[in-house]
Amino acid sequence: MSEALLYSEPEEELRAAVADLLADRAAWASVLARTESAEPYDTELWKTLGGGIGVAGLLVPEELGGAGASLREAAVVAEELGKAVAPVPFLGSLTATALLLAARESGNGTAALADDLLRRIAAGEQTAAVAIPFSRSPDTTYRGRVSVTPWPPREDPHEARLTGRVTSVADALPADVLLVPADGSIYVVRAADAQRTPVTTLDMTQVLCDIEFDDAPGQILAIGYAPLAQALLSAAAVLASEQLGLAEQCLKTTVEYVKTRHQFGRAVGSYQGLKHRLAQLWVQIAQARAVARYAVSSSGDEQVIAVAVAQAHCSAVAVQAAEECVQMHGGIGFTWEHPAHLYLKRAKSASIALGSPARHRRRLAELVDLPAS
Amino acid sequence: MPPLITQHDLENRIQDLLAAHDPGTTSRLDFLHARFDAGLAWLHYPPGLGGLGLPRGLQPAAEKAFAAAGAPDNEPQRIGIGLGMAAPTILGFGSDEQKQRWLRPLWCGEQVWCQLFSEPGAGSDLAALATRAVRDGEDWVVNGQKVWTSMAHEARWAILVARTDPDVPKHQGLTYFVLDMSAPGVEVRPLRQLTGEAEFNEVFLTDVRVPDSQRLGAVGEGWKVAQTTLMNERVAIGGGAAPRESGMIGVLASAWREQPEVRDPALHDRLLTLWVAAEAARLTAMRLSAQLAAGQPGPEGSAAKYAFASLNQQISSLELELLGEQGLRYDDWTMRRPETVSFVGRSPGYRYLRAKGNSIEGGTSEILLNIIAERVLGLPGEIRVDKDVAWKDLPR
Ligand SMILES: Cc1cc2nc3c(=O)[nH]c(=O)nc-3n(C[C@H](O)[C@H](O)[C@H](O)COP(=O)(O)OP(=O)(O)OC[C@H]3O[C@@H](n4cnc5c(N)ncnc54)[C@H](O)[C@@H]3O)c2cc1C
C-alpha cells in the first residue's frame, strides 16, 4: 500500500501535460479577468483538456472510448487545476462520470443509457453535471426538493417528469446533461429542459447555478441513491487533491515573496515569526499529500474513512495556506490585482464544498467508533 | 484642578443641551456644533475642544443618552481615521491655532481625514519611507507616492509623514504634516481590494505645496508624532468599550439563534470558545479605555488590536462554515467606492474577506507581536542592520 502513496511515472507524465497546458493557457491574470467577463468558464481550455489530453474521459472504461484510468490519475489533474485555480468544469464532470459508472455497475437501472452518456463524455461531445448542491457531503442521505410528477398514462416506464428546484449546483452551467436525484431515483434530464440561473459565488472561478425543473422530461438512470453517494465520495477524494495543489501553490508563491520583500533592511522571510509558520505549513502540506493520495488509492469501507480524513485535513490546510499567503504579502495580498485572493476564495469555498471539515469529522466519529456521547 | 464634574452633572448637561437644541427641529450639523461647543463631543478632550476633561469611560453612557433622545451622531464609520488617528495626534502635537482649526469640523464630520503613511517600499518599516518634503520659503514642497490610503477619495485632509532630511538615520529625518487633499498636485487613484470594492487608494504627490503652518511637531520629530498616531490607531481599531455581542460575534450568535437549521453540534463548542474569547477581548478593551486618561495610549493598544484581528478572522471564518451552502455565495463583486469603512457590514463572504485586512492595516499582527515582545516584555530586539545608517545610504 505504501507504494500507492507515491506518484507513478504515467501519473507524472499526465501531470506534466496538464501543467504545461495550464501554464500556457491559464495564467492567473487571465483567470482573474475571466471572472468578470460574460464567459466565466474557459470553454476552449476545457476542450483541450477534456478532449486533447483526455481528461474528460479519464475514468471512462476503454471499451467506451475512455482512458480507463482511476481516481489516482484524476487526482493528479486536480492538483494541477488547484494550482492554477483554473475555471473548467472538471470536478462537476468527474462527479457525473463517477455517478454514471456507479449506476452502470449497480445494474438496477438502464446500463445502456449510462454507457451511451459515458461514450459521449469520453468523446468530448457532451458534458454532464449532477444536480445537487455543491455543499452536499457524501455521508448524508440526500433529500432534495425535486420530485417526480405522476404522469399517467405511462407508456414508457423509463420516462418521468421532474419538478422542483436545486440550488448552488457546481458546473451545471456548461453541461448538456443533468443527472438529477429525485424521489429516491436518479434521472437524466436534458439541460436545455431545465432553467439554470447563475449565482454570484465566493469563489469567482467556480461557477454555481440554481436549477428549476418545471415538468421536465427525465429518463431513469438508477434506482436508489447508492450511485450518488459513491459519486460524491469519489468527488470528495479528488477535491482533496485539488486542495493540496492549491496549498502548494500558495506556499510556493509566499516563499518566493518573503525571500525578496525587504523591510527593516532584511528579507521578511528572515524573521522567525514568518519562517516557522511557513515551515509548519510545509509539514502540513506533506501530510496533506499523503492523506490525499490515500483517499484516491483506497477502496471499500477503508475509502470512506480515507475520504473523511482527507476532506477534514486538506480543507483546513488549503485554507490555512491561502490565508497565510494573503497575510505574508501584507497590503499587496489584500488587493484585487494580486492572485492571492483567487486562492483564498477557492480554498474557503472548497472547504465547504462536498461537506465542511466539521461534517467530515462527525462522519469519522461514526466510522472509527468515537461517539460524541 | 478643574472642578470635578459628576456623573449627575454630566447627565444634566446632556439634558440641557437636548432641551436647548431639540434634535427633532435642529439641523444635524447645528446639533453637532452645539454638542461640540458644550464639551459633550469627546468627553475626555479638554474644555474648549469638544470635551470636559472627563475619563473616557463616561463616553458610552453619553452616547447612549444622545441616541435615546434621537440625536444625530457624527457617523463615526465615515470619519474613523479623523477621530481615531488624526485628532489625538493634533491634540498631542498641534498648536492652539491648529487645534481650533481642525478639531471641530473633524468631530462634526464636516471634513473627512485620511492617513498618508504607507508607501510601496515602506509598510511595516514605515520609517524607511521615501516621500520627500523640501523647504521652500514658508512652504514645503512634497513629492512621492503613498499607497493603501483608505478613504483618500473622500478626504479633505491627510496626515502625512515625509522625509525632510535624507542624510541622517531613517527615524531622525522625518517630519509630520497635515496636507490639504484638494491642493494641486494630489492625485488619488482607486486601488481595488479583494472584496471587490476600492476602499483604499494610491496617492501620488507631485510638487504639492504644504504651508509650514500645517506642520505638526518639530522638523525631524515626525517619527515621534507618527508613533502617537499609530498607538491611537491600534486602540481605535481594537479598543473601545462596546456592549456584549457587538461586532462580529454578535452576527455569528444571531445566525446561530435565528437559523436553527444551520446549527451543527460539531461546531457548537467552537462557537462558545469564540464567544468567550470575544467577551474576554471586550472586557480587556473596556479596562484599557478606563485606564487611559486623557493621555496617549502605549503598547497595550497593540494587544487589543491583535486580539481584535484574530477574533474577527476566526469568527467570520466559522460563520461561512456554519452557513454551508449559503457560504458558497457572495453578494456582489461590483467595483464600488464606499463612503464608510465597515468590517461587519454586508454579507458573510464580505465579512470573511474584509477581516483578512484587520491583521494587516494599522500594523500587521506580526509587528504588533514584536511590539509586545520587545516593548512590553523587554525581550531583545531583532538584529537591526539599518538603524545607524543615513537613510540615503540604505540599500534599496
Ligand atoms: C485594508 C487596509 C487598509 C489600509 N489603510 C491604510 C491607510 O489608510 N493609510 C496607510 O498609510 N496605510 C494603510 N494600510 C497599509 C498598512 O499599514 C500596511 O499594509 C502594513 O503596515 C503592512 O505593510 P506592507 O503592506 O508593506 O507589508 P510588509 O511590511 O511588506 O509585510 C509583509 C509581511 O512581512 C511581515 N513582516 C514585516 N516585518 C516583519 C518583522 N520585523 N517581523 C515579522 N514579520 C514581519 C508582515 O507582518 C507581513 O506579513 C492599509 C492596509 C490595508 C490592508
Side-chain angles (χ1 to χ4, degrees):
Chain A
M1 187 68 218
S2 53
E3 280 290 296
L5 299 180
L6 305 177
Y7 299 104
S8 70
E9 217 165 283
E11 283 164 3
E12 291 293 9
E13 281 163 19
L14 176 62
R15 176 200 304 287
V18 174
D20 277 353
L21 177 68
L22 293 175
D24 201 31
R25 302 263 295 273
W28 73 266
S30 65
V31 171
L32 176 63
R34 185 175 289 283
T35 64
E36 291 189 289
S37 76
E39 252 203 75
Y41 280 103
D42 192 339
T43 30
E44 286 306 306
L45 176 63
W46 178 234
K47 247 184 227 158
T48 316
L49 254 179
I53 300 186
V55 162
L58 214 48
L59 300 183
V60 177
E62 278 167 292
E63 71 262 26
L64 298 176
S70 71
L71 290 181
R72 293 176 52 89
E73 287 81 5
V76 170
V77 175
E79 283 182 30
E80 295 309 308
L81 292 173
K83 287 180 193 167
V85 284
V88 290
F90 171 72
L91 196 63
S93 165
L94 177 118
T95 315
T97 309
L99 199 161
L100 290 166
L101 287 170
R104 185 172 182 256
E105 273 147 36
S106 75
N108 66 12
T110 29
L113 180 58
D115 282 0
D116 181 48
L117 281 171
L118 285 167
R119 213 176 266 121
R120 288 167 194 273
I121 289 171
E125 291 165 22
Q126 285 197 331
T127 304
V130 182
I132 189 164
F134 195 34
S135 51
R136 209 73 217 186
S137 60
D139 60 294
T140 45
T141 22
Y142 178 61
R143 234 180 285 117
R145 281 180 290 158
V146 180
S147 44
V148 183
T149 343
W151 192 49
R154 203 171 273 214
E155 282 138 37
D156 179 351
H158 294 307
E159 255 188 51
R161 297 273 164 158
L162 304 183
T163 297
R165 186 177 157 77
V166 202
T167 48
S168 309
V169 180
D171 297 334
L173 218 51
D176 307 287
V177 171
L178 300 174
L179 309 181
V180 190
D183 286 346
S185 294
I186 296 162
Y187 295 85
V188 178
V189 176
R190 286 196 321 154
D193 291 333
Q195 182 164 345
R196 292 164 293 170
T197 317
V199 301
T200 307
T201 44
L202 176 67
D203 175 6
M204 307 181 300
T205 62
Q206 169 67 67
V207 185
L208 303 179
C209 66
D210 294 341
I211 308 179
E212 196 82 50
F213 299 95
D214 181 11
D215 209 29
Q219 277 186 291
I220 196 155
L221 175 73
I223 297 160
Y225 283 169
L228 176 66
Q230 182 55 48
L232 293 178
L233 195 69
S234 300
V238 170
L239 179 62
S241 288
E242 182 189 304
Q243 291 167 320
L244 163 67
L246 184 148
E248 275 189 280
Q249 183 64 24
C250 289
L251 178 63
K252 183 170 163 238
T253 317
T254 310
V255 167
E256 277 165 15
Y257 185 72
V258 301
K259 279 183 189 166
T260 52
R261 172 68 173 173
H262 280 65
Q263 291 286 275
F264 309 99
R266 288 167 49 176
V268 294
S270 72
Y271 297 113
Q272 220 165 53
L274 301 192
K275 208 193 277 186
H276 277 186
R277 269 154 52 199
L278 289 168
Q280 279 165 351
L281 192 55
W282 184 88
V283 173
Q284 296 280 83
I285 289 174
Q287 294 181 344
R289 187 183 313 284
V291 160
R293 282 274 91 190
Y294 187 57
V296 289
S297 306
S298 49
S299 58
D301 291 347
E302 187 59 16
Q303 192 194 19
V304 182
I305 294 178
V307 170
V309 170
Q311 275 297 298
H313 185 82
C314 298
S315 291
V317 173
V319 169
Q320 191 188 333
E323 291 184 345
E324 288 288 34
C325 181
V326 171
Q327 178 65 19
M328 293 193 191
H329 279 79
I332 191 81
F334 194 71
T335 59
W336 191 266
E337 282 93 0
H338 191 276
H341 68 106
L342 292 174
Y343 291 90
L344 179 68
K345 292 163 185 174
R346 169 71 66 95
K348 189 64 189 171
S349 170
S351 80
I352 298 170
L354 294 158
S356 69
R359 270 179 190 278
H360 288 285
R361 283 195 295 271
R362 219 169 54 201
R363 174 79 177 120
L364 213 47
E366 295 161 20
L367 295 167
V368 302
D369 187 25
L370 288 170
S373 55
Chain B
M1 271 278 283
L4 279 178
I5 293 174
T6 64
Q7 174 92 34
H8 183 69
D9 291 337
L10 178 62
E11 279 162 22
N12 283 342
R13 285 182 191 223
I14 293 174
Q15 292 316 320
D16 289 349
L17 177 74
L18 288 165
H21 305 271
D22 177 1
T25 54
T26 314
S27 84
R28 190 174 166 275
L29 208 52
D30 285 348
F31 184 85
L32 292 173
H33 284 156
R35 182 174 159 187
F36 187 93
D37 297 338
L40 296 168
W42 28 34
L43 301 175
H44 63 288
Y45 272 53
L49 294 173
L52 294 168
L54 294 174
R56 283 177 195 244
L58 292 175
Q59 192 75 33
E63 294 302 337
K64 223 169 145 183
F66 281 118
D73 68 9
N74 57 354
E75 300 181 85
Q77 286 204 330
R78 264 187 70 235
I79 53 172
I81 292 170
L83 290 175
M85 298 155 222
T89 313
I90 295 167
L91 185 68
F93 291 93
S95 64
D96 286 344
E97 200 196 322
Q98 289 173 327
K99 292 178 199 168
Q100 292 296 342
R101 179 179 180 194
W102 287 316
L103 289 177
R104 191 173 184 258
L106 183 160
W107 186 86
C108 295
E110 291 162 272
Q111 292 173 346
V112 173
W113 288 65
C114 70
Q115 180 189 22
L116 292 172
F117 280 28
S118 306
E119 297 181 5
S124 297
D125 185 10
L126 177 63
L129 61 83
T131 293
R132 284 281 275 133
V134 178
R135 186 75 194 239
D136 181 26
E138 278 308 292
D139 292 344
W140 294 83
V141 178
V142 181
N143 279 287
Q145 187 204 334
K146 297 290 180 175
V147 73
W148 331 122
T149 320
S150 305
M151 292 297 137
H153 53 291
E154 294 280 312
R156 170 62 208 280
W157 296 104
I159 42 178
L160 164 81
V161 191
R163 185 156 308 280
T164 43
D165 186 354
D167 297 324
V168 292
K170 61 180 183 178
H171 292 94
Q172 295 164 29
L174 301 171
T175 304
Y176 198 115
F177 299 96
V178 170
L179 180 134
D180 182 347
M181 291 295 286
S182 63
V186 179
E187 192 201 338
V188 177
R189 290 187 206 157
L191 195 52
R192 199 173 178 191
Q193 53 212 40
L194 47 66
T195 52
E197 58 187 22
E199 204 178 274
F200 56 32
N201 302 272
E202 292 178 289
V203 178
F204 296 85
L205 304 169
T206 314
D207 292 333
V208 183
R209 298 193 82 85
V210 179
D212 189 53
S213 62
Q214 288 174 205
R215 175 168 45 78
L216 280 186
V219 174
E221 296 257 288
W223 184 248
K224 195 173 117 199
V225 186
Q227 283 305 305
T228 297
T229 307
L230 295 176
M231 294 294 182
N232 276 285
E233 174 169 20
R234 286 152 200 172
V235 172
I237 297 179
R244 175 176 291 163
E245 280 195 15
S246 32
M248 215 63 112
I249 192 70
V251 178
L252 181 62
S254 308
W256 188 276
R257 287 192 193 104
E258 288 156 24
Q259 293 172 257
E261 70 280 6
V262 303
R263 288 179 200 161
D264 183 337
L267 297 177
H268 190 230
D269 193 51
R270 225 171 110 213
L271 167 73
L272 283 158
T273 304
L274 289 173
W275 198 95
V276 170
E279 184 66 357
R282 183 182 81 87
L283 293 171
T284 311
M286 213 155 136
R287 192 163 177 274
L288 177 65
S289 81
Q291 277 172 338
L292 292 174
Q296 299 293 356
E300 58 283 1
S302 297
K305 197 257 172 184
Y306 169 78
F308 171 85
S310 147
L311 263 171
N312 267 2
Q313 293 175 350
Q314 292 180 65
I315 295 170
S316 57
S317 180
L318 180 59
E319 188 189 2
L320 281 185
E321 186 169 349
L322 198 67
L323 292 178
E325 188 195 323
Q326 261 174 282
L328 295 171
R329 296 172 172 238
Y330 196 70
D331 57 349
D332 188 7
W333 292 117
T334 313
M335 155 76 176
R336 2 171 187 197
R337 300 287 270 158
E339 283 177 18
T340 61
V341 175
S342 169
F343 296 157
V344 177
R346 284 178 57 179
S347 61
Y350 173 86
R351 279 190 277 284
Y352 173 73
L353 295 174
R354 184 61 187 81
K356 295 289 164 275
N358 292 159
S359 54
I360 301 171
E361 60 200 315
T364 67
S365 287
E366 290 77 18
I367 292 300
L368 300 184
L369 291 176
N370 282 346
I371 289 174
I372 295 167
E374 294 173 19
R375 289 195 224 157
V376 181
L377 302 179
L379 291 169
E382 292 278 358
I383 293 163
R384 295 290 292 268
V385 292
D386 58 349
K387 256 200 141 143
D388 305 313
V389 187
W391 177 81
K392 68 171 179 0
D393 298 326
L394 290 176
R396 249 179 286 282

